[in-house]
Amino acid sequence: MGFDELLGNGALKSRLRAALDGGRLAHSLLIAGPAGSGKRTLARLLAAALECEGAHPPCGVCRPCRKALEGVHPDVITVDEPDRKQVPVELVRRARAELFVRPNEGRRKVLIFPRAQDLNAPAQNALLKVLEEPPAYGAFLLLAATPEMLLPTIRSRCIELRLAPLEGPLLRAELARRHPEAAEEAREAAAVRSGGYLGQALALLASGGGLSPEAARFAGQYAAGDDLGLLALFVSLEKWKRPQLADLLEQLRGLLEQALLARRGCPAASEAVRAMAEGRTAADLLDGCRAVAQAQDDCRANVAVANVCAGLFVRLRAGGR
């Protein structure tokens, strides 16, 4: 098995194989790359490799490997609260206490930080203390889209593994393999606009071809400048649950960002995006992106759903004038 599941990144994978075969893998690794670059895939493979009992880790066959790959190994601990904008210090302190309890069944205790850049200042300082003097069986996998947001002292104690974009032919072949039903034009647009990162390309395909009815309705009304239609849409959303609204806001932001890129000459991944790009100015779309980003912040800050919807409508309407 090895690291085959991670596409591309040949030099990095060779380096990791050599370190594992020679027993020289560092205990603290910083996996860096933008969204969709494969950070979580690599972290899962590394966690399996650290627990693996096979000759060439990760073998993908032994029981510890399989459990780590499936996310059920008791000694592989994910340190995160996805619903919170920042990772709080109390979460790191609990993980640190757990680290100093010897492994339940594995050879290592592995702490994974999926949003290392979102650790708040106290949390980073708490992490630094354990990075300086970890137990011999401890291992740390820090994932960061923006590693510059971490303390220099944390970065200096980690070996950085930076993920690279995929080459065009490999990316296009993988998109065709995973989404043969998608139009070639949509796959090409996703490949171009993703910057070479598979996760971003897949997200672009999904947002272009799998819109919720509300997102599709928004796209049509926003493209046409239909304020009354938008008002009716947002009023209908006021009784939604917060997670439901958060998912929709993510779709709306993606649509607006794609339309803004289409205005600047990038291929449009869908008819909805093309209509928005043709119906609104670049300034409108930029204001729309900001309005939705503010609504997302409000949603995370537990502002009432009705108020989030009302505020978003007001900002969108004002931004289009």
Side-chain angles (χ1 to χ4, degrees):
M1 176 184 176
F3 293 94
D4 294 342
E5 187 179 337
L6 180 70
L7 296 180
N9 292 280
L12 174 60
K13 291 191 289 191
S14 296
R15 175 181 159 198
L16 289 172
R17 288 190 194 102
L20 285 163
D21 290 344
R24 304 187 309 274
L25 189 68
H27 76 274
S28 301
L29 299 171
L30 172 58
I31 304 173
S37 58
K39 296 189 296 297
R40 291 174 185 260
T41 297
L42 180 55
R44 190 164 54 84
L45 292 169
L46 284 169
L50 288 163
E51 302 293 358
C52 182
E53 295 176 351
H56 299 288
C59 69
V61 176
C62 70
R63 187 166 178 266
C65 244
R66 293 199 311 271
K67 291 182 77 170
L69 290 169
E70 292 166 8
V72 295
H73 198 296
D75 297 313
V76 178
I77 302 164
T78 298
V79 186
D80 194 15
E81 284 187 7
D83 293 338
R84 300 182 69 163
K85 190 172 183 179
Q86 290 192 316
V87 182
V89 65
E90 58 265 23
L91 205 61
V92 178
R93 287 174 178 158
R94 287 202 298 269
R96 187 173 64 186
E98 176 66 26
L99 180 69
F100 283 96
V101 176
R102 295 194 65 83
N104 291 282
E105 60 181 63
R107 60 180 65 189
R108 307 294 292 269
K109 208 69 168 284
V110 184
L111 299 187
I112 301 177
F113 295 81
R115 297 186 296 136
Q117 76 277 348
D118 293 335
L119 291 160
N120 63 25
Q124 290 201 38
N125 284 314
L127 174 60
L128 178 60
K129 289 179 182 178
V130 72
L131 285 176
E132 290 173 336
E133 296 182 14
Y137 53 79
F140 304 85
L141 302 177
L142 281 62
L143 285 60
T146 50
E148 300 78 14
M149 295 179 68
L150 289 166
L151 293 171
T153 42
I154 287 180
R155 296 184 67 185
S156 70
R157 283 166 173 76
C158 299
I159 299 298
E160 183 170 318
L161 308 175
R162 186 165 289 276
L163 290 162
L166 303 182
E167 293 183 359
L170 176 59
L171 176 60
R172 288 170 173 81
E174 186 64 16
L175 290 177
R177 185 184 74 82
R178 295 196 187 197
H179 287 283
E181 79 290 349
E184 186 175 351
E185 179 188 11
R187 292 200 301 265
E188 179 63 21
V192 169
R193 293 175 43 227
S194 69
Y197 294 107
L198 177 61
Q200 292 189 29
L202 292 171
L204 286 164
L205 270 180
S207 66
L211 291 180
S212 67
E214 292 79 14
R217 183 177 163 191
F218 169 85
Q221 291 165 342
Y222 186 75
D226 182 359
D227 286 345
L228 287 177
L230 285 174
L231 177 59
L233 171 62
F234 287 123
V235 167
S236 72
L237 302 178
E238 291 181 353
K239 294 182 180 180
W240 276 26
K241 300 293 185 183
R242 194 179 307 280
Q244 218 181 344
L245 180 63
D247 289 344
L248 177 61
L249 291 174
E250 188 64 29
Q251 280 198 64
L252 301 191
R253 186 172 179 178
L255 282 169
L256 288 159
E257 288 173 349
Q258 291 173 43
L260 184 58
L261 288 170
R263 286 281 308 185
R264 294 174 176 174
C266 289
S270 68
E271 287 301 324
V273 168
R274 183 178 291 107
M276 291 171 67
E278 293 173 353
R280 304 302 290 253
T281 67
D284 289 346
L285 294 166
L286 183 58
D287 285 341
C289 290
R290 290 170 176 160
V292 175
Q294 181 61 58
Q296 290 179 299
D297 286 343
D298 291 344
C299 201
R300 285 189 287 262
N302 290 323
V303 174
V305 167
N307 291 343
V308 174
C309 294
L312 177 56
F313 171 71
V314 170
R315 284 189 293 271
L316 285 172
R317 189 165 181 262
R321 290 184 170 182

